[in-house]
Amino acid sequence: MSNTTTARGSWGSRIGFILAAAGSAVGLGAIWKFPYVAGANGGGVFLLVYLACVFSVGVVMMLAEMMIGRSAKKSATSAYRVLGKSNWHLAGWISVLCVYLILGFYCVVGGWTIAYIIEAVKGDILTTDAKVLSETFTNFIADPTAALIYTAAFMAITAAIVIAGVQAGIERICKVLMPVLFALMLFLVYRSLTLPGALEGVMYFITPDWSKLSIKMVLDALGLAVFSLSVGAGLMIAYGSYLSPETKVVNAGLWIAGLATMASVLAGLMILPAVFAFHVDPAAGPGLTFITMPALFAQMAGGQLLALVFFSLLLFAAVTSSISILEPAVAFLIDEYGLARKTATIIVSVSNYVILGIPAALSFGSMADDMKVFGKTPFDLMDFVASNLLMPLGGMLAAVFVGWRIWPEIRAVLAGEMNKTMLHWYRLMAAIVAPLLIAIVAYMTIKG
């Protein structure tokens, strides 16, 4: 066995792969972003549209990436080169650039979760004064020393897991963190549902208000579905490359989508009933997590414990996603340059922290205005380029690659898992519908 093969590794079990891939999807997108986006878009009707998007376009694109990786046994750039010849390897470079940018700002947010666990232990964030909480959060993210230390700490945790390898690191930690994550969510859902007035929030979340249905809302749901399934950044290509030929890709993909969706639904049931119970605006936006939720916990019995559980939950979700963001860049160096896993991980982590992590962490302090490019801070610029340009482009290229360039090979793989009608439907979605819809979402997002 070559050093490169040893460095790459493979999944030890099917359930290990499913939990790791679901962990990639069950990140801050599901727990932090989904509740406030659903709250701002009418609750129940958004949930239905979101589910439809996940199990149509989202699953199609995720399966496309998984099959590219499994067919080539390589990460994105090498996989596109091996399977597509010509200049298709450029699609892989887009994916590598995308995950590198995401890692830069994601570790900053991950660092915030570590800091808030410490604040929850101290009890300093348990106040009902929204102004105080807002100032606390603003002052914290504006403190350059704290921002850099917590970002580095989160990057170090992520790197340590990836260095340990696919089975001993990524798979092992996800087998522990994912069940714990769902257990913590269920505990917080139970606590939220027992609050007086919580039923109003539940009904808002599960009852469709069709008057809220709009083109913009559908596009928001589609964009969130693709983002929450980690499609377009080559993550599933890397994870798929560690799969054995015997693994049923469609079945595994549906399990991953199901677990990711379950996490989003539980996040909605965890947060929205509490929001309604304490008469908070469900469309409070991104601040719902770090500003609104501590105020809610301050009004609950056992609030300090609940705050600790909540921010621990956020940290676990952030870690299961961050390792899937780091892994494709590490796999790229292993596949393209034959580096050892430890060396590749250190190179990516250290360079990313220095080049992107530091500017992203300093994007909220006194230097923020001086660092703006095109009117955006480094944090916002990385987020915009990765989420609105590279991820949609990467997702479209993966779908087109499967639907057109290597369809005969993919059809042969899927023939044992789908009937002819499903095969025709899948190709139509991959070759035409998914790329078209993602292009529309990207255009509308960029247009503003």
Side-chain angles (χ1 to χ4, degrees), residues 10 107 175 178 224 340 395 399:
S10 61
C107 284
K175 278 185 173 180
M178 288 302 291
L224 183 59

Side-chain angles (χ1 to χ4, degrees), residues 122-447:
K122 292 158 57 178
D124 292 348
I125 55 172
L126 292 180
T127 173
T128 58
D129 191 329
K131 184 179 179 181
V132 170
L133 286 168
S134 180
E135 289 177 353
T136 299
F137 181 66
T138 302
N139 292 337
F140 160 65
I141 63 175
D143 180 351
T145 302
L148 292 174
I149 289 174
Y150 285 115
T151 300
F154 187 83
M155 179 71 83
I157 292 171
T158 303
I161 296 169
V162 172
I163 284 174
V166 177
Q167 286 188 36
I170 299 172
E171 183 172 348
R172 179 177 293 176
I173 199 71
C174 287
K175 278 185 173 180
V176 173
L177 288 188
M178 288 302 291
V180 171
L181 187 149
F182 276 104
L184 293 179
M185 290 186 82
L186 287 170
F187 170 71
L188 288 173
V189 167
Y190 166 76
R191 187 65 188 89
S192 184
L193 293 178
T194 58
L195 294 171
L199 183 59
E200 185 181 354
V202 175
M203 297 309 294
Y204 178 81
F205 185 53
I206 66 173
T207 305
D209 179 358
W210 297 106
S211 68
K212 301 285 187 180
L213 186 63
S214 66
I215 296 296
K216 181 184 180 303
M217 190 268 283
V218 173
L219 294 177
D220 283 347
L222 180 59
L224 183 59
V226 172
F227 177 83
S228 63
L229 289 179
S230 304
V231 170
L235 279 63
M236 291 302 171
I237 296 179
Y239 274 17
S241 71
Y242 304 130
L243 281 173
S244 69
E246 294 76 31
T247 302
K248 298 293 186 183
V249 179
V250 176
N251 181 270
L254 290 174
W255 268 104
I256 294 165
L259 288 173
T261 302
M262 185 187 302
S264 294
V265 172
L266 288 176
L269 290 174
M270 179 174 69
I271 292 176
L272 290 177
V275 163
F276 274 82
F278 293 106
H279 308 292
V280 175
D281 181 7
L288 195 63
T289 299
F290 294 99
I291 297 173
T292 307
M293 290 306 293
L296 298 182
F297 292 134
Q299 300 174 66
M300 297 183 190
Q304 186 171 0
L305 173 62
L306 293 173
L308 178 60
V309 170
F310 177 75
F311 287 109
S312 298
L313 171 68
L314 277 184
L315 175 61
F316 293 164
V319 167
T320 57
S321 282
S322 64
I323 57 179
S324 73
I325 296 167
L326 175 56
E327 178 61 26
V330 170
F332 165 76
L333 292 183
I334 293 172
D335 290 342
E336 292 287 305
Y337 302 104
L339 297 184
R341 172 170 286 273
K342 182 177 181 180
T343 303
T345 305
I346 292 173
I347 288 174
V348 174
S349 303
V350 173
S351 68
N352 188 273
Y353 179 75
V354 172
I355 297 171
L356 300 178
I358 291 175
L362 299 178
S363 292
F364 304 92
S366 58
M367 295 181 286
D369 289 337
D370 298 328
M371 299 171 68
K372 285 186 177 180
V373 179
F374 303 118
K376 296 181 181 293
T377 64
F379 184 101
D380 291 334
L381 186 62
M382 291 175 212
D383 187 9
F384 178 81
V385 173
S387 302
N388 299 327
L389 299 178
L390 298 182
M391 283 187 77
L393 181 58
M396 287 188 291
L397 289 173
V400 169
F401 188 67
V402 164
W404 295 101
R405 183 66 181 85
I406 60 169
W407 177 246
E409 296 95 317
I410 297 303
R411 181 176 56 196
V413 172
L414 292 179
E417 300 185 44
M418 293 182 178
N419 58 38
K420 286 186 177 181
T421 301
M422 289 299 294
L423 274 173
H424 289 314
W425 174 84
Y426 182 86
R427 189 184 185 191
L428 174 66
M429 292 293 294
I432 298 173
V433 177
L436 181 61
L437 289 176
I438 296 304
I440 293 172
V441 169
Y443 172 76
M444 295 297 291
T445 302
I446 294 170
K447 187 179 178 182

